[in-house]
Amino acid sequence: MKPFFASLLIFIAQIFCSPLQAADLDKGKTALIRGDYPAALTELTPLAEQGNATAQYYLGVMYKEGQGVAPDDALSHQWLTKSAVNGEAQAQMMLGMMYHFGSGVEENMDTARKWYQLAADQGLEEAQTVLVIIAE
């Protein structure tokens, strides 16, 4: 398939899939807030696997907190890292905290600062505050 046609197909798929993904993300978030963890997993997992940073963040939190799944620091770290790399500021903040306090990972202040800084650069006030505190 020629590159132009492949790009066009991807563009068309994104246009038609985006509203569905948003609806599924909303359903997943609502289920998570309600404490309906099986429904949240059903809605969020496919989106996370497709690269949705917000869904990846929610799964990371679910595995960290043991919400509807057995607590699993490795899976939590995996999903949060994917989310953070994809630009989700809350995931960057959470990874900063994990490395700062050695929660599920080996404590590493350089890595913590890196994640805090990325979140702060996006305007996340909590990350900005932490950076000021740890700089003193």
Side-chain angles (χ1 to χ4, degrees), residues 108-115:
N108 184 321
M109 283 306 292
D110 290 334
T111 303
R113 277 188 197 90
K114 175 189 104 170
W115 289 117

Side-chain angles (χ1 to χ4, degrees), residues 5-135:
F5 291 109
S7 298
L8 181 61
L9 287 175
I10 291 169
F11 175 73
I12 291 169
Q14 288 174 336
I15 289 172
F16 288 109
C17 292
S18 294
L20 179 60
Q21 282 190 354
D24 291 345
L25 185 60
D26 288 343
K27 286 181 187 177
K29 181 179 177 182
T30 300
L32 187 58
I33 291 168
R34 278 194 329 256
D36 184 355
Y37 303 125
L41 281 171
T42 297
E43 297 295 337
L44 297 172
T45 301
L47 295 174
E49 290 170 346
Q50 293 167 16
N52 182 295
T54 304
Q56 292 168 337
Y57 166 71
Y58 288 137
L59 285 183
V61 170
M62 291 177 75
Y63 280 104
K64 185 71 177 159
E65 301 297 324
Q67 297 173 323
V69 294
D72 188 322
D73 286 332
L75 280 174
S76 175
H77 185 266
Q78 174 188 321
W79 285 117
L80 289 170
T81 300
K82 287 180 181 188
S83 177
V85 167
N86 285 327
E88 180 64 46
Q90 291 291 340
Q92 293 165 345
M93 177 70 186
M94 194 162 185
L95 281 173
M97 291 170 50
M98 289 171 70
Y99 281 102
H100 188 157
F101 297 104
S103 175
V105 295
E106 187 173 327
E107 186 177 324
N108 184 321
M109 283 306 292
D110 290 334
T111 303
R113 277 188 197 90
K114 175 189 104 170
W115 289 117
Y116 286 144
Q117 188 63 60
L118 287 169
D121 289 346
Q122 293 194 67
L124 193 65
E125 290 182 22
E126 298 89 346
Q128 294 166 352
T129 301
V130 169
L131 285 171
V132 169
I133 292 169
I134 64 176

